[in-house]
Structure formats: structure tokens, C-alpha cells
Amino acid sequence: MMKTVLITGAGSGFGHEVAIRLALKGFDVIAAVEIYAQVQTMKREAATRGVTLRVEKLDITNEGDRTKALAWNVEILVNNAGVLEGGSVLDVPGSNMRHEFEVNVIGPLLLTQGIAKQMVKRGKGRIVWVSSREGLNVNPFTGIYSASKHAVEAIAETMSLELQEFGIEVATINPGPFLTGFNDRGFETWKSWDDDPSDRLFDYSKLAFPRAQFDPEPVYATMTKVAAGEIDTYRNLEPKSMTEETKHLIEAPWNKKVRDGLGTRPASLQKSYEMKPETPVAR
């Protein structure tokens, strides 16, 4: 049984909870957090929950941190760390775009390259990529994030083919809109953009994340089971209630005409004007 799990981005959100749940299941968990200030916080939370886990500072964009991780004998890698940069693809500054891709794509892939080759030598391993529903669909104002997650989808699917003969399992997790604070934080990043606000196409003070958000419990449960090897499906979308909508939106561009709706505002974009931050899905 593979026991040593490295989960990145464990300082908050999905990664934080899943790291603790995997430890509760008896795995040897290495909970990687981005900054040193999160180390003691994570240790205290683990102690409160009655579990023992190892907490390491691992900024996936830092080459030294990635190299350090190669000494940890990782058998299961959960690439969970990520950021969301909200804003129109016509407004997001270049430095913010680059940061999005460094955190969501380049850093995790470089980390995975080294760890996956160790797995190949052992003849076993499991790699879980936390993608997004946005890796399968797109929405206004999350286009750069969506682009990074589409890249993750391409990397993960290719990796699953290239590692198949070496006995390495690869899976993806595709969370939809969940209320962890992640989505709403992403719609606040414009406040620190280094640009000319008068040149922006949209006024971001009037916009919010465009969808009501679900309780994150289904993602916690599914991520934990996928990492533990208790679920063996390659793609794992949560909530499952969004599966048909997601598939429909994947097919939609095949029938779209370039002049459809010209001169009008799409309903999906209008939702950002109407939604309030941290709106939960009505039960």
C-alpha cells in the first residue's frame, strides 16, 4: 500500500482539510504550505483534530523548495496549490497572468517531473491533479484561471498516457463553485493591479464571482478518496449535479455562430453584476 502523501497548497481550502482527512485514514501526510507563517497554524489544526502529520514550507514556484521535496520519498502526489486571478482577459496585467500560470501550471509540473521519475523507478505511484470545472468550461472574468486549468487538463491527460506503462496512476479532480473563500478572493485581486484603471474595459468594483457556491464537503470527500485510491475514475467532477451542464457547455461551441448575440451582454456575464460575494447555493 502506498502511504506517503504530499499535498500542496495545504495551508487553506481543499488542501487543508484533505491533508487532515488523509492523516485520519492512516496515511503519512506531508502537508505543504506556501509560507512559513502557515506551518504552525497547520500543526495546531492537526493537533486539535487529533492527527499527526508533517508540515513543510513548499512554494511550488521556488526551485529550491521543489528540489527539497525530492528527498521526501513521495508515493502519492496531490497537486492542489493554485490561485485565481479574476478579471477580463483584456484587462488582467501581464505580470498577473504569468503568476497565474507559474502557480497553477509551471510550478506543479516541474515538481511532478522529479517526483514522477522517482515513482517510475519504484514501479508504482499516484498523481492527482486538482484541476477545476473551469478546466472543462469557461466563464467571463475567470478566463486566465480557466486557461491555466485547461493547460492542467492537457498535462494530466497526456501524463496518464505517458506513465501508463510504468504503473503510475493519474487522476483529476474538477471542483465547481465551492464556498471556501477562494473564488471571492480571486475577484479582489484587481485592487493590486499595476495598471491604468482608466484603461480597463470593466469596473471591477461592481462585479463579483458570478455563481452561488456549494458547501465544500463533496470535494473534501472525493479528493480524499481519489488520493487514497478508493475511487479509480480518471475525471472526478464535483458537485455531480453539474455534470450534465458541464458536458453541454463542452459541446456548445460546435454549434455557436460568430455573430450570435453581437451587441448584447451575455447572461453569464451579467451574473457578475447581480451576484453578491460569498452567496451560498440555496437548499
Side-chain angles (χ1 to χ4, degrees):
M1 176 183 174
M2 293 180 285
K3 290 200 68 175
T4 304
V5 183
L6 170 60
I7 180 165
T8 65
S12 63
F14 300 142
H16 184 86
E17 178 64 21
V18 172
I20 290 174
R21 293 193 183 195
L22 285 169
L24 285 167
K25 291 176 76 71
F27 286 86
D28 297 328
V29 176
I30 304 170
V33 298
E34 181 186 5
I35 57 176
Y36 283 111
Q38 295 173 309
V39 172
Q40 291 304 321
T41 302
M42 185 66 187
K43 286 182 177 179
R44 285 193 297 270
E45 173 68 12
T48 300
R49 300 277 290 274
V51 300
T52 300
L53 48 71
R54 177 178 173 182
V55 185
E56 294 281 355
K57 183 264 185 184
L58 172 56
D59 177 350
I60 55 175
T61 68
N62 183 289
E63 184 176 0
D65 282 2
R66 294 194 302 265
T67 299
K68 179 175 64 177
L70 296 179
W72 298 342
N73 297 313
V74 175
E75 297 175 289
I76 303 167
L77 172 61
V78 183
N79 283 314
N80 170 75
V83 293
L84 166 60
E85 186 72 42
S88 167
V89 294
L90 299 173
D91 285 336
V92 176
S95 60
N96 298 73
M97 293 184 193
R98 294 185 186 94
H99 179 65
E100 182 98 60
F101 273 80
E102 285 291 336
V103 175
N104 292 1
V105 184
I106 305 300
L109 179 54
L110 290 174
L111 175 68
T112 303
Q113 285 181 335
I115 291 176
K117 289 175 182 177
Q118 293 178 333
M119 292 176 176
V120 167
K121 290 179 180 178
R122 296 190 202 105
K124 64 178 180 178
R126 182 176 303 129
I127 300 168
V128 181
W129 288 89
V130 181
S131 179
S132 172
R133 184 173 180 267
E134 295 283 288
L136 307 173
N137 299 153
V138 300
N139 282 292
F141 307 125
T142 57
I144 302 302
Y145 173 75
S146 182
S148 74
K149 292 302 186 178
H150 274 71
V152 165
E153 289 290 323
I155 289 166
E157 191 167 354
T158 304
M159 187 174 290
S160 71
L161 298 174
E162 294 171 348
L163 290 177
Q164 179 176 306
E165 66 187 273
F166 301 107
I168 313 303
E169 303 169 21
V170 180
T172 63
I173 309 289
N174 296 79
F178 286 92
L179 193 52
T180 64
F182 178 82
N183 298 312
D184 296 292
R185 288 194 299 271
F187 272 68
E188 295 288 327
T189 58
W190 61 271
K191 295 178 180 178
S192 298
W193 287 354
D194 183 15
D195 68 341
D196 180 358
S198 67
D199 192 44
R200 295 173 186 167
L201 197 60
F202 296 93
D203 180 355
Y204 295 101
S205 67
K206 298 179 180 178
L207 303 178
F209 184 75
R211 296 194 72 136
Q213 301 175 67
F214 295 88
D215 182 283
E217 175 56 34
V219 181
Y220 298 155
T222 295
M223 275 185 66
T224 301
K225 290 178 180 178
V226 172
E230 297 169 4
I231 293 177
D232 64 0
T233 47
Y234 168 77
R235 175 169 289 158
N236 299 276
L237 175 71
E238 290 291 350
K240 293 180 175 59
S241 60
M242 298 186 78
T243 300
E244 291 308 312
E245 177 189 351
T246 302
K247 290 180 178 179
H248 169 74
L249 291 173
I250 291 172
E251 292 293 326
W254 290 95
N255 298 313
K256 184 176 180 177
K257 302 294 190 296
V258 296
R259 295 185 179 85
D260 286 351
L262 283 185
T264 65
R265 175 176 290 171
S268 57
L269 192 152
Q270 178 60 28
K271 288 180 180 178
S272 282
Y273 287 91
E274 299 169 352
M275 192 64 67
K276 300 295 182 184
E278 299 185 5
T279 299
V281 171
R283 294 190 177 186

